[in-house]
Amino acid sequence: MTTDASTPRTGDRVGRTVRVTGPLLEAEGVEGVAMGEILHVGDDRISAEVVAVEGGRATMQAYEYTGGVRVGEAAAGSGQPLTGLFGPGLLGAAFDGLMRPLTSAPIWLRPDRPESVASDERRWRFVPTVAAGDSVAAGDVLGTVPDSGAVEHRVVVPAGASGTVDWIQDDAEVGPLDVVAKVGETEVRLSERWPMRRPRPFRERLSDPVPLHTGQRVLDLFFPVARGAAAAVTGGFGTGKTMLLQQVAKWCDADVIVYVGCGERGNEMADVLDDFGRLVDERTGGRLVDRTVVVANTSNMPMMARELSIYTGISIAEYYRDMGHDAVVIADSTSRWAEALREFANRRGDLPAEEGFPADLSSQLAAFYERAGRVTTLGGKEASVTVIGAVSPPGGDMSEPVTTITQRFVRAMWQLDRDLAYARHYPAVHWSGSFARDTDGLARFQTVHGDPEWAARRASALEILAEADRLASLAEVIGVGSLPGRERMVVLGGRLLRETVLAQNALSPNDAFCSDAKGAALLDLVLEVIDACHAAIDRGATATAVERLDFGPVIRAPQDVGPTDAAAIGPIRERVLAEIGALP
């Protein structure tokens, strides 16, 4: 039924739809239509973005279900690009790709739902931090909004505005769209609109890497990611991509988490909301969900909304970055995003490239990952947006286009291995297929901050793992017992590294999270044990005698020792080394 809200108003630029093919719509007669403009189609005013203009015909991609849309229905121009409304009320809530709330939505979603915080009837307390007459520039903080999440919500001077504060709202409760300050000719509202495909400006990009601590040993010790960098998790079905991403979201030391469910199963997103709502945030003492924004476009939601949800998530992260916070975007998964691009390109009749993906897939992936960065904001604060995307290659084929293209644009790649996952080794990050490009810079950071052995420790462990893999292949042919003693110690060392350092129990209160100090202590423990085993072989001890020793205390150390209690590993080291030293 047509309502006043969905009926084109007098003076609107209204045309008519001439083609409806799934998410692809075409309209004619919309005067002055522009690329990127949002048109509202039909009685329900379905949102569709113009992606091509030829003569008087506009081709659009619809972000909502188009069932029931008929040729001849009205298509009204909005005169605006795809724009989101950003303000208090984002943290702790879930939205779809168009930033419409899911937390308070009914079971059956309608296309004419109101947008994000504009629909929030709650009034927010605004506390000014400047006074009338003060001079401010873009990015300067005008006030804060208490009780809007676990991190401080700051209202800043928008980009392009500067001058004298002519008026500032007193400490009072205001609505999301109320004006809270006037800076020169600019009215600053509590919430602001921003085109989601346009990156938000900043003053300077910072190049010196600073680690993002994820709490996962295999990542922090071997394949670290820097704040403001981009990383990707690759692996076939069942290798634990979503579990790893959820662990990173739970335990990383970012201020804000933006979790984007792009084409994934609805039960996984429900698990995210449930887990984050129950989990206590160690940083704030509150709920983890209070510093998390969830953007959900599951596999049963409109296809092109997947493409939009990626930009929605990173725009939200940039919004908090401009306040001076460190944000992490978890995109699960970019493969489903690329599949939506492929399907729409095929409907348009575009010339397909490799495996049917559009020819501009590379540039679209580059534009997305390029929005990651550690920067100096317009207000002079250091802040960052780190992007971690999941790649789900069909059949685990790492040579397919999305995986190979992604490798070119990310600074870290965490490749999950099916054999490790089936052996119940989690996280199933394989040490030979993964990489981190910022290790040199992060090694300098660790040296300056009190851990000069970080790089040498990492290199020694990776060398042992690579040699153990080589010997394992040989042992399958001739048997481990046929190997020389020192080579058997390498195989033993590889097993200790895998079971003690690389594997991590997400269900253990002591092992779900691992501090930098505990991770370094565990790795030192295993490397010292390996060296002691080699020394025992050199003294004349048999490899069989060494292998019969009880290494259980070493393997159990991650779960026996608290997540930050690195000192408790010392007694374990002394006891095990004493037993090895007692061998003849």
Side-chain angles (χ1 to χ4, degrees):
M1 181 178 67
T2 303
T3 64
D4 292 341
S6 63
T7 303
R9 299 176 298 275
T10 302
D12 280 349
R13 297 153 45 239
V14 181
R16 297 291 171 184
T17 56
V18 295
R19 182 185 178 193
V20 180
T21 307
L24 185 145
L25 305 175
E26 291 186 356
E28 291 182 345
V30 183
E31 182 180 351
V33 66
M35 287 286 292
E37 182 180 355
I38 292 294
L39 302 187
H40 298 296
V41 180
D43 292 343
D44 287 331
R45 294 177 65 82
I46 289 175
S47 297
E49 184 180 13
V50 176
V51 295
V53 178
E54 184 177 357
R57 175 172 292 198
T59 301
M60 303 167 285
Q61 58 183 17
Y63 293 120
E64 299 170 84
Y65 179 59
T66 57
V69 177
R70 303 179 302 276
V71 170
E73 292 203 49
S78 68
Q80 298 292 330
L82 188 63
T83 302
L85 185 62
F86 303 89
L90 296 178
L91 293 177
F95 303 90
D96 68 1
L98 288 169
M99 288 193 71
R100 297 174 303 189
L102 297 175
T103 311
S104 57
I107 295 178
W108 300 105
L109 304 179
R110 288 181 51 83
D112 56 351
R113 286 175 291 142
E115 63 178 342
S116 67
V117 296
S119 64
D120 189 353
E121 296 180 356
R122 176 178 175 181
R123 296 180 67 81
W124 301 90
R125 181 188 171 198
F126 174 78
V127 180
T129 56
V130 299
D134 291 349
S135 295
V136 294
D140 289 345
V141 178
L142 295 172
T144 61
V145 182
D147 302 323
S148 60
V151 300
E152 185 178 63
H153 187 97
R154 301 161 184 159
V155 180
V156 302
V157 179
S162 63
T164 303
V165 179
D166 296 329
W167 174 81
I168 186 77
Q169 172 68 53
D170 295 332
D171 188 336
E173 292 188 349
V174 297
L177 297 178
D178 289 349
V179 176
V180 295
K182 294 183 179 179
V183 178
E185 301 296 325
T186 302
E187 290 185 343
V188 181
R189 300 180 185 274
L190 188 65
S191 303
E192 68 166 302
R193 297 186 183 275
W194 187 265
M196 287 187 284
R197 296 191 186 279
R198 183 192 306 168
R200 296 175 70 98
F202 52 84
R203 184 183 299 178
E204 179 187 11
R205 188 181 293 271
L206 303 175
S207 59
D208 53 319
V210 174
L212 175 75
H213 185 60
T214 67
Q216 309 305 298
R217 284 188 298 272
V218 65
L219 306 184
D220 296 332
L221 294 175
F222 296 99
F223 309 107
V225 60
R227 292 182 185 272
V233 183
T234 65
F237 176 78
T239 54
K241 294 185 298 298
T242 298
M243 174 62 77
L244 178 57
L245 290 174
Q246 290 184 19
Q247 286 298 102
V248 172
K250 290 176 183 177
W251 301 111
C252 74
D253 57 356
D255 300 315
V256 174
I257 306 297
V258 182
Y259 198 102
V260 182
C262 176
E264 293 301 299
R265 294 176 291 275
N267 60 335
E268 291 183 353
M269 297 307 301
D271 288 343
V272 170
L273 289 170
D274 182 59
D275 289 347
F276 286 17
R278 290 186 289 105
L279 191 67
V280 175
D281 185 7
E282 298 294 334
R283 302 185 66 195
T284 64
R287 301 182 306 162
L288 179 62
V289 74
D290 291 335
R291 63 179 178 95
T292 303
V293 184
V294 175
V295 180
N297 274 107
T298 54
S299 55
N300 63 334
M301 297 174 78
M303 179 192 68
M304 292 314 299
R306 302 179 194 176
E307 190 261 355
L308 175 58
S309 63
I310 293 289
Y311 293 98
T312 301
I314 202 160
S315 296
I316 293 172
E318 289 177 341
Y319 175 66
Y320 284 100
R321 179 204 68 190
D322 290 351
M323 297 182 195
H325 299 305
D326 291 308
V328 168
V329 178
I330 308 287
D332 187 11
S333 81
T334 56
S335 292
R336 306 291 176 259
W337 172 53
E339 288 169 4
L341 296 177
R342 175 172 62 185
E343 182 170 341
F344 187 78
N346 290 340
R347 288 180 181 273
R348 287 180 56 184
D350 294 345
L351 185 66
E354 187 178 1
E355 295 192 17
F357 286 104
D360 64 346
L361 176 63
S362 177
S363 61
Q364 295 215 43
L365 280 168
F368 168 62
Y369 284 113
E370 188 181 43
R371 291 177 69 169
R374 179 169 162 265
V375 304
T376 301
T377 67
L378 296 178
K381 297 180 176 65
E382 289 188 7
S384 64
V385 171
T386 306
V387 177
I388 303 176
V391 183
S392 307
D397 179 14
M398 296 301 170
S399 64
E400 60 90 33
V402 180
T403 304
T404 56
I405 292 172
T406 299
Q407 289 180 2
R408 304 207 307 259
F409 302 127
V410 296
R411 304 296 299 171
M413 177 72 80
W414 305 326
Q415 182 174 316
L416 305 187
D417 182 75
R418 185 184 301 274
D419 292 337
L420 287 176
Y422 286 178
R424 299 183 182 275
H425 176 111
Y426 292 104
V429 178
H430 202 280
W431 42 92
S432 64
S434 304
F435 64 80
R437 294 187 170 115
D438 290 324
T439 51
D440 291 342
L442 293 175
R444 290 192 294 271
F445 177 92
Q446 297 288 357
T447 299
V448 171
H449 290 80
D451 189 4
E453 300 301 320
W454 185 87
R457 188 189 302 121
R458 174 182 181 270
S460 297
L462 289 175
E463 183 179 356
I464 292 171
L465 289 168
E467 183 66 9
D469 283 349
R470 184 186 69 82
L471 293 174
S473 300
L474 180 61
E476 290 179 356
V477 178
I478 65 175
V480 176
S482 301
L483 295 174
R486 290 190 63 83
E487 293 187 343
R488 288 170 68 175
M489 293 305 98
V490 173
V491 175
L492 173 63
R495 180 174 71 86
L496 291 177
L497 282 171
R498 293 193 299 271
E499 297 183 8
T500 305
V501 181
L502 301 184
Q504 197 163 343
N505 188 348
L507 302 178
S508 169
N510 285 339
D511 203 28
F513 167 80
C514 183
S515 65
D516 277 338
K518 178 182 175 180
L522 285 172
L523 187 50
D524 280 335
L525 166 64
V526 174
L527 293 176
E528 290 184 28
V529 168
I530 295 172
D531 289 341
C533 291
H534 282 292
I537 295 296
D538 293 341
R539 291 195 308 269
T542 64
T544 301
V546 176
E547 291 168 345
R548 286 177 176 173
L549 290 175
D550 181 16
F551 293 101
V554 177
I555 296 173
R556 293 192 301 269
Q559 299 188 53
D560 290 343
V561 174
T564 60
D565 191 8
I569 296 175
I572 299 174
R573 177 191 299 108
E574 294 174 4
R575 183 166 68 253
V576 175
L577 291 180
E579 293 179 1
I580 299 174
L583 291 173

